[in-house]
Amino acid sequence: MRQERTVQATIFEAFARHEIGCALQAISQWLDGQRPLVSLVADDLRRQGVRETGRRGLPAETVLRCALLKQQRQLSYEELAFHLEDSASFRAFARLPLAWSPKKSVLHQTISALRPRTWEAVNQALLVSAQQETLESGATVRIDSTVSAALMHQPSDSTLLWDAVRVMTRQLRRAGRLPEAPVARWRDRRRLAKKRARAIDYSRGKTKKRARYRELIAAVQPLGPSCKQSPKGWPRPSGWRSSGGALASIIICR
């Protein structure tokens, strides 16, 4: 058995005068006017097959408030369970029934039952409220992301040309192993292109770099005609990209 809202709030609910307590109180007052969100949460919880009889579960309003509390404070389920038992402000915000302290397993089971459309409704209600109070227009969206290390090199011209040589060489070797493929003579220039690209990276000055670039282009330029002519007579292997081969050929011919 699960109620949508806490019918009678306890008289001991009090928010701290701290900045966080004042913010939670303001959010709580805003949620009091969002009855449709509580109904959506109740529908999500009934979707799990909860019976209308039996032991009382967390009210739908409490589940919604605990979910928002977890997201707003960036807490884990274990930390949320601790703060709900330890903090009077958190208990007042969550509208927990008297002497109730949900465990992390209960919080995980109920909060994870919320469907994406419910979270979308919460975001839309928050955006509409902000627009009505002229706090946010919603025209610009800001997202936060975490920078992590990745196996990617800086896309300089020399490394891009070297990558083009590697890709075209791999495709030519793959096409040469196909049945009924005509014999074509071409030279594997990956090692030469790698040496010239490394020399460009370690050289200083525009004059030296310009000379190294000319050597790199002259070293790999003969591979361009092979890529232009071979796809016309050869069967195309799986993964062959004509646009990519043409683009790489244009880079080399330049």
Side-chain angles (χ1 to χ4, degrees):
M1 182 175 62
R2 193 184 303 273
Q3 299 176 347
E4 284 195 10
R5 299 181 66 253
T6 303
V7 179
Q8 184 177 2
T10 175
I11 61 175
F12 299 104
E13 288 185 357
F15 291 92
R17 296 183 179 179
H18 189 270
E19 180 182 356
I20 297 178
C22 295
L24 293 178
Q25 186 176 11
I27 299 174
S28 178
Q29 293 174 356
W30 178 80
L31 288 173
D32 289 337
Q34 305 297 328
R35 297 291 183 87
L37 298 180
V38 179
S39 300
L40 288 176
V41 174
D43 294 338
D44 293 343
L45 296 175
R46 294 193 189 99
R47 189 168 58 97
Q48 289 188 328
V50 179
R51 298 180 180 179
E52 297 296 334
T53 59
R55 185 178 179 181
R56 293 177 56 191
L58 287 177
E61 181 183 18
T62 299
V63 174
L64 174 62
R65 289 171 174 265
C66 289
L68 295 177
L69 193 60
K70 178 181 181 298
Q71 293 298 116
Q72 199 267 342
R73 304 304 305 172
Q74 294 294 303
L75 301 173
S76 63
Y77 288 106
E78 186 173 0
E79 293 171 342
L80 179 60
F82 168 75
H83 286 295
L84 289 175
E85 185 175 359
D86 180 73
S87 173
S89 297
F90 278 39
R91 293 185 62 87
F93 176 84
R95 298 280 173 84
L96 281 172
L98 189 61
W100 279 38
S101 297
K103 302 299 182 182
K104 65 177 183 178
S105 58
V106 177
L107 295 172
H108 178 269
Q109 182 180 5
T110 53
I111 294 177
S112 61
L114 302 184
R115 288 179 287 189
R117 72 172 190 179
T118 302
W119 287 110
E120 180 66 22
V122 173
N123 292 330
Q124 290 297 331
L126 182 60
L127 182 58
V128 170
S129 179
Q131 289 177 345
Q132 292 176 353
E133 298 180 8
T134 65
L135 297 177
E136 177 63 46
S137 62
T140 304
V141 178
R142 186 188 69 178
I143 60 174
D144 296 331
S145 59
T146 302
V147 179
S148 59
L151 298 177
M152 297 178 62
H153 57 74
Q154 184 178 1
S156 59
D157 293 337
S158 59
T159 55
L160 288 176
L161 184 57
W162 176 25
D163 290 339
V165 172
R166 292 192 301 105
V167 172
M168 288 188 294
T169 302
R170 182 173 65 246
Q171 298 292 3
L172 287 172
R173 295 181 63 180
R174 188 179 300 176
R177 292 193 295 265
L178 293 176
E180 301 179 359
V183 179
R185 295 182 179 181
W186 56 276
R187 180 181 175 186
D188 188 350
R189 298 177 178 270
R190 290 177 297 176
R191 184 177 179 182
L192 182 60
K194 180 178 180 180
K195 288 184 177 180
R196 297 296 184 268
R198 289 291 179 86
I200 293 173
D201 292 338
Y202 290 108
S203 62
R204 295 184 178 181
K206 293 183 178 180
T207 303
K208 293 183 178 180
K209 284 185 177 293
R210 188 179 294 107
R212 297 291 185 272
Y213 267 109
R214 289 175 179 173
E215 294 176 1
L216 176 61
I217 295 175
V220 300
Q221 193 171 9
L223 195 59
S226 300
C227 289
K228 288 183 178 180
Q229 299 173 4
S230 57
K232 297 180 181 179
W234 291 358
R236 294 188 179 182
S238 58
W240 179 277
R241 297 181 180 179
S242 58
S243 59
L247 179 60
S249 302
I250 292 174
I251 295 175
I252 291 181
C253 293
R254 286 181 178 178

